[in-house]
Amino acid sequence: MEATSERSNQDIVQNRFARDSDLTISTNGPQPPTVVQFGANDPKELARASTLVAPYAGGVDLNCGCPQSWACAETLGAALMEKRELVRDMVIETREYLRRDGWGVGKERDVDNPKGRSVSVKIRVHKDLRKTMDFITTVLGPSQDRHIDWLTIHPRTRQTPSSTPINVEALEILTTNFGDKVPILLSGDVFTLNSLPFTSPLLDPANTPTLTSKSITTDNVEKKKTPQSPLLNLPKLSGLMSARAILANPALYAGYDACPWEAVETFMSHLARAPLPFKLVQHHLSEMCAPGMGPNKNALLSKPERNAMLSCTNMVDLVDFLDEKAREKGYGDEFGLRRVV
Ligand SMILES: Cc1cc2nc3c(=O)[nH]c(=O)nc-3n(C[C@H](O)[C@H](O)[C@H](O)COP(=O)(O)O)c2cc1C
């Protein structure tokens, strides 16, 4: 779900090299929807950057969550949580520019329109949740014509480290108050579908046709509902976004609680068609072959094996290494990648 690429709006508008290097799309057949996320603090800049990427993306998102000090010092990311009128003006201007360029910005009305483009915002929460409620109220605008298509909430404050569990109570209050007005997505601690720190109708396979039989079952949810830790139910949550866990297990939304070898194979075969820099390939593979973020700590490769993988210096050696490990461990077929490249 989190197929985003964050870039400063200024870079995108002013620098063609930044545009080309940071936004690369496949022209090979229909592509999955991609949302381009910007760090921005000026309505016209965000609006212009959005019109430049609109031909190549399904929507644009504004990052109001990045806590890094350099970003906040430039009034980007989480610093925008103190600038709700500015954020409102940025999304209004962006929708207006997109509309003028002929894109469909009618939210639900344009979901199936090939020219439909979304405008959304990703936020953190404040220590005083009333400030977050004011922020959302301002950014949403009128209920008959709200300013954004959806809202992603990362229920931690700017100061909360990501090792601290998300604030589920805050998420419950916000989804209860705003979940009927705008689709709300959660970003944070989505580690596996059967270890979420809340219950939700989203996890009912009957409501989520894309989840497979390996998905969460009611059994799994029931198991977590112990008297010691009653889980909150979030009936108005509309979607989930994962960052750290999906790096380690890209099959998370297919219902796997640890990365299957098949995901490694799929990644490698995609690489044959759409190459990535070698170091990036190694980084993704070492995430995928290590223990994931959820309770299942099975790893596809041991630490020494991952180190050996990282010591490969080229793609051919890496493919040989993975083939050998797959054979050793009985992980399915060889990649046959050398036959492709
Ligand atoms: C490697 C990495 C890159 C991230 N990049 C972005 C980003 O560009 N924009 C953003 O809004 N959040 C970004 N985040 C934050 C995540 O979207 C997310 O809010 C946070 O990691 C908590 O979710 P998680 O528990 O699923 O990791 C990033 C996180 C990680 C680990």
Side-chain angles (χ1 to χ4, degrees):
M1 196 180 289
E2 187 159 44
T4 59
S5 163
E6 188 191 7
R7 190 75 200 182
S8 141
N9 58 317
Q10 262 177 346
D11 291 349
I12 288 281
V13 172
Q14 293 169 6
N15 186 335
R16 178 148 191 258
F17 182 74
R19 276 206 296 278
D20 291 346
S21 67
D22 264 22
L23 182 65
T24 307
I25 55 153
S26 170
T27 49
N28 191 8
Q31 298 301 313
T34 300
V35 172
V36 175
Q37 188 191 57
F38 290 109
N41 58 17
D42 179 86
K44 289 216 163 4
E45 290 281 348
L46 178 64
R48 282 163 57 199
S50 300
T51 58
L52 287 174
V53 301
Y56 315 106
V60 292
D61 189 83
L62 176 63
N63 185 344
C64 302
C66 180
Q68 294 182 48
S69 47
W70 71 265
C72 292
E74 292 187 37
T75 326
L76 295 167
L80 292 172
M81 293 306 298
E82 307 305 321
K83 306 263 177 202
R84 57 196 162 110
E85 283 92 1
L86 176 61
V87 172
R88 175 200 58 202
D89 295 348
M90 281 197 277
V91 292
I92 290 178
E93 193 86 351
T94 299
R95 283 186 64 199
E96 184 52 24
Y97 269 48
L98 289 172
R99 194 189 57 74
R100 263 191 256 156
D101 270 16
W103 301 107
V105 288
K107 296 166 292 261
E108 283 79 7
R109 283 198 307 282
D110 281 316
V111 164
D112 295 322
N113 174 359
K115 297 213 84 183
R117 294 295 180 269
S118 61
V119 177
S120 55
V121 172
K122 179 161 180 266
I123 66 169
R124 282 187 179 241
V125 296
H126 303 84
K127 201 166 168 204
D128 178 353
L129 210 57
R130 285 171 302 184
K131 287 179 77 178
T132 316
M133 312 257 284
D134 288 346
F135 180 98
I136 297 175
T137 304
T138 303
V139 172
L140 272 189
S143 53
Q144 71 281 9
D145 186 23
R146 62 177 198 266
H147 303 317
I148 52 175
D149 288 74
W150 73 80
L151 176 73
T152 305
I153 300 180
H154 179 187
R156 291 190 177 97
T157 70
R158 179 172 158 180
Q159 286 79 26
T160 317
S162 52
S163 50
T164 302
I166 57 163
N167 185 340
V168 181
E169 290 76 20
L171 186 64
E172 189 206 18
I173 293 169
L174 296 175
T175 51
T176 301
N177 279 277
F178 297 102
D180 287 330
K181 301 186 174 104
V182 64
I184 295 180
L185 275 56
L186 160 68
S187 168
D189 292 0
V190 176
F191 294 151
T192 66
L193 294 179
N194 60 8
S195 63
L196 295 175
F198 54 85
T199 61
S200 155
L202 276 177
L203 300 177
D204 180 350
N207 295 336
T208 44
T210 52
L211 298 184
T212 68
S213 55
K214 294 174 198 69
S215 318
I216 183 91
T217 62
T218 325
D219 283 355
N220 292 335
V221 177
E222 292 300 330
K223 251 189 273 159
K224 300 284 287 184
K225 280 194 215 155
T226 59
Q228 294 81 15
S229 60
L231 295 180
L232 287 174
N233 186 37
L234 303 181
K236 293 185 179 174
L237 184 66
S238 294
L240 304 171
M241 186 184 280
S242 172
R244 289 168 297 170
I246 208 162
L247 270 179
N249 174 17
L252 190 159
Y253 290 119
Y256 289 83
D257 63 0
C259 186
W261 189 253
E262 198 187 334
V264 174
E265 285 180 350
T266 305
F267 176 64
M268 294 303 288
S269 62
H270 285 325
L271 275 180
R273 289 196 200 91
L276 287 177
F278 184 65
K279 285 282 162 208
L280 204 50
V281 173
Q282 276 181 314
H283 177 70
H284 278 287
L285 287 171
S286 67
E287 288 270 356
M288 287 159 75
C289 294
M293 298 286 298
N296 182 344
K297 293 296 176 197
N298 286 342
L300 288 170
L301 298 178
S302 66
K303 186 118 205 268
E305 288 170 330
R306 296 198 301 275
N307 285 340
M309 179 172 72
L310 289 175
S311 69
C312 293
T313 55
N314 61 68
M315 201 62 167
V316 174
D317 287 354
L318 181 64
V319 171
D320 278 347
F321 175 86
L322 291 172
D323 273 349
E324 194 186 308
K325 287 295 148 198
R327 259 196 308 276
E328 248 176 64
K329 293 169 183 277
Y331 279 157
D333 297 328
E334 291 181 18
F335 298 118
L337 202 61
R338 273 161 301 154
R339 287 193 295 277
V340 179
V341 284

